Amino acid sequence: MRFTDIHNEWHGLYISEFETAERELTDRRFLSGTAGAVCDVLSLPSHNHQTFFGRIVSEKGFFKLVYAKAIQNSIWFSEPIFMYTFEEAKRFEQHPMKHGRIVCRSALIDKGFVNRLLLTLWRLDENQPESAVVPSAEAEFTAIRFYDKGKPPRDICFTDASELKFRGNADTENAVEFLNSLHSAIESMIGIGEQ
């Protein structure tokens, strides 16, 4: 997770990233409100993995992932950069030395994966410790917002899922492993870059 010159703390960056990606998806008509929304996942990775925002939506018995990916090219690098923020991609759309863009797409998503994600999220305690987020350039930040009747009543943020609090005697080992690999699992579904 990298900070920008506008945001030097994780909470402001996280809110801004959700708003920027959601607005882009809405402007391009990929989203039209929160009807059927199950949850949102935002990932701000490190090591040039893909920054993404995805909303899982339930429609007619299927689950769909509506997502946005931030991409940036620069005259200083021959390869595209995927770990930059949505805010930077938007800001550099018309920049002479950097070219930012946000790619929007949707895809069907496996019901088993969604059910596992929801079961894992259900096991999490209502209150989470601040220690679950340790911002650094090496950290992979993940934020998940749950929906209830079209509104996201709560969210979970972490850089290390082992710091999260779980209810009662939940199987935390598998849940922690699943949440720590959530970025990689979704990245493998949506691909990196323009694809």
Side-chain angles (χ1 to χ4, degrees):
M1 127 185 249
R2 57 185 301 282
F3 291 107
T4 66
D5 51 353
I6 296 172
H7 296 285
N8 59 2
E9 55 85 29
W10 73 268
H11 195 266
L13 177 61
Y14 142 71
I15 297 296
S16 174
E17 289 296 280
F18 261 122
E19 290 172 351
T20 303
E22 194 171 33
R23 187 172 43 251
E24 192 73 13
L25 284 164
T26 300
D27 289 350
R28 294 188 188 185
R29 292 182 170 74
F30 278 86
L31 291 177
S32 59
T34 56
V38 175
C39 68
D40 294 334
V41 179
L42 171 72
S43 181
L44 302 175
S46 59
H47 303 296
N48 210 27
H49 281 278
Q50 183 66 64
T51 293
F52 65 80
F53 165 83
R55 176 169 294 159
I56 297 173
V57 179
S58 176
E59 285 185 355
K60 300 176 184 172
F62 294 96
F63 287 104
K64 180 169 70 171
L65 179 65
V66 180
Y67 61 91
K69 303 189 288 186
I71 305 171
Q72 188 171 312
N73 289 85
S74 166
I75 64 166
W76 298 286
F77 301 104
S78 59
E79 297 293 319
I81 303 165
F82 307 114
M83 67 183 200
Y84 279 17
T85 66
F86 286 106
E87 191 174 79
E88 290 170 311
K90 195 73 182 153
R91 193 173 62 200
F92 295 130
E93 281 181 327
Q94 304 301 320
H95 194 276
M97 298 161 105
K98 301 175 185 180
H99 175 63
R101 61 205 173 282
I102 298 174
V103 173
C104 299
R105 303 258 195 287
S106 68
L108 291 177
I109 186 170
D110 181 66
K111 192 173 190 172
F113 175 83
V114 176
N115 288 337
R116 184 172 181 198
L117 174 60
L118 294 177
L119 179 61
T120 303
L121 297 176
W122 178 82
R123 292 175 176 167
L124 291 168
D125 193 80
E126 291 285 325
N127 300 307
Q128 294 296 326
E130 287 290 321
S131 62
V133 176
V134 179
S136 78
E138 298 298 310
E140 197 167 272
F141 176 83
T142 303
I144 305 168
R145 295 191 302 194
F146 308 78
Y147 281 85
D148 183 27
K149 297 177 184 150
K151 300 204 183 300
R154 68 177 242 213
D155 56 3
I156 300 293
C157 301
F158 62 91
T159 54
D160 180 3
S162 68
E163 294 292 321
L164 295 171
K165 285 175 44 183
F166 290 83
R167 299 179 197 191
N169 296 323
D171 176 11
T172 60
E173 188 176 328
N174 285 335
V176 165
E177 184 180 324
F178 178 73
L179 289 172
N180 276 334
S181 65
L182 185 61
H183 172 269
S184 297
I186 294 176
E187 183 182 71
S188 70
M189 291 176 209
I190 66 174
I192 297 175
E194 300 285 351
Q195 52 180 320

